Amino acid sequence: MSEPAELRRQPRVLARAEHSVSRASISPNAIKVLYRLHRAGFLACLVGGAVRDLLLGRKPKDFDIGTNARPQQVRQLFRNARVIGRRFRLVMVRFSDEVVEVATFRRSPEPPEIEDGETTDVLAATPEADEFGTPEEDAWRRDFTVNGLFYNIADFSVIDHVGGLEDLRAGVIRTIGAPRLRFAEDPVRMMRAVEYGARLGFRLEDDLSDAIAEMHGEIRRAAPARIAYELVESLKGGQALPIFRGLEGSNLLEHSVPEAHRAASGGGDALLWRLLGTADERVRGGEKLSEETLLGLLFLPSVLDALMREGEKAPAPGEVERDVRDRVDAAALRLALSNYRSHLLRSSFLLLSRLLSPPRSAKFVLRTVKHEAFPVAWQIAHLLGAAAPRYRPQLGPWEQAVARVRAGLAPEVAPARPEGEKRGKHRRRRRGGARRRAGAAGAAGSAS
Ligand code: ATP
Ligand code: MG
């Protein structure tokens, strides 16, 4: 935000005794970096989300540091440092168990050009120029007031240039500067507003909400990789359900993950919501779900439509495989997922199609378990089983077989049930027929 200097107020500074941020709750590595910068004569502050979370009594995800030292000066202070990034060079200081990011204070880039009432496509572009600035300018270019607070290691004070302390107390997400301008500069901020609102249980300030209601379609102009990044961040923290409900409610999901938007249209009890709620419980319980598993949940209802075409005649050879591939590839392209990530997603869904029928043979189990996408498929299958009981019976025989493989035993596979035996209500295909092998199981076959 380039706000005229005279409009900016004096910063509010809370001395050490007036706030709850203590060095004991900051990671020792971040403290080390802060002190080394400080002793070398530079300004050094903890910035952004860490200050917000510490003031709220929450555990920060990471500790980002702002300084007036230039990237090369920072690098020279640390042997374990690497300068990265083309647009805004960041210094990553690497420790055995943590990376601390150090960024030089900078001011906001020039606001995007307006042509014919439309912002030009500078949003996805990356300007070359580095624009360093003062700590105050650095606070003003940030997204929300609660994300614009600094903790100064020189005197342990909290510095608020942007009104973040007040909004933190009131539980409000407010853009720094006018929301329409900030969202035009960077539409991803609309997603971030919803994400932090849900994550912190904060209300979105009225003007901000109105701006999203008017501008949600602008999200299509954001760089896909940045959208994907925010989606993954939103999925990871154990609050995915409220965040994605918020994204759906503000029409941002429709433009970022249309297949999830369609899945959400089934109402409050839609499978998508049950999947996200189940994943949240597990994450909060300490289970480690991979990023691919979490992303996969957004596409799972759509992929299940391809895998479980109930009541239809058996698909032509390779048709299910093609359908699954097409769905995953379209999403991967739209979100600019890496080749490896889309490969894992595609393969895990094809493996999932195996897991939804009883294992065919011991060899088949071994091949499945050995596949590099199996861990993702297995997590997705379990989340599906937990969220939708109708899928549980299919997983049972696989559980036993996989447990045996993991115990170093040969998998025991029950013989195929004879034709005519009562089957689960939702079984899609006939067992054992050539068609089956040619259909989804054929699809799974080529996942290996
Ligand atoms: P968390 O890491 O807990 O998700 P965070 O606030 O640290 O939250 P990051 O995505 O790590 O979020 O970003 C760090 C900081 O960078 C933010 O607190 C904010 O000040 C600033 N920031 C991030 N994204 C933007 C953006 N799109 N526009 C302006 N400032 C941003
Ligand atoms: Mg952060």
Side-chain angles (χ1 to χ4, degrees), residues 16 19-31 34 46 49-64 98 151 153 156 158:
R16 172 63 194 99
H19 65 76
S20 59
V21 178
S22 94
R23 270 163 295 162
S25 43
I26 301 172
S27 98
N29 295 325
I31 292 280
L34 285 165
L46 199 61
V51 185
R52 172 200 71 216
D53 288 344
L54 290 170
L55 286 168
L56 289 172
R58 301 165 70 103
K59 193 172 175 314
K61 242 177 25 201
D62 40 40
F63 294 90
D64 297 336
E98 184 182 10
Y151 168 81
I153 199 67
F156 316 126
V158 168

Side-chain angles (χ1 to χ4, degrees), residues 25 34 99 112 135 142 225 228 240 269 321 383 386 411 426 428:
S25 43
L34 285 165
V99 174
R142 290 174 183 273
D269 193 38
E321 173 183 14
L383 290 166
H426 298 290
R428 184 174 64 84

Side-chain angles (χ1 to χ4, degrees), residues 270-349:
L271 176 62
L272 177 70
W273 302 136
R274 279 180 282 136
L275 288 167
L276 294 181
T278 306
D280 282 345
E281 279 168 29
R282 302 215 165 172
V283 168
R284 289 201 297 264
E287 199 171 313
K288 181 97 189 78
L289 298 175
S290 76
E291 293 187 358
E292 286 75 21
T293 297
L294 290 165
L295 263 180
L297 297 183
L298 298 181
F299 310 116
L300 181 56
S302 150
V303 168
L304 281 175
D305 285 345
L307 291 178
M308 314 289 286
R309 298 187 207 162
E310 279 170 57
E312 281 182 26
K313 59 180 176 22
E319 195 188 315
V320 170
E321 173 183 14
R322 258 199 311 279
D323 196 356
V324 170
R325 277 180 193 282
D326 287 351
R327 286 174 201 231
V328 176
D329 289 352
L333 196 66
R334 200 164 0 84
L335 293 172
L337 302 186
S338 71
N339 286 342
Y340 184 63
R341 177 161 277 181
S342 34
H343 155 74
L344 277 184
L345 276 175
R346 203 164 38 232
S347 303
S348 63
F349 283 131

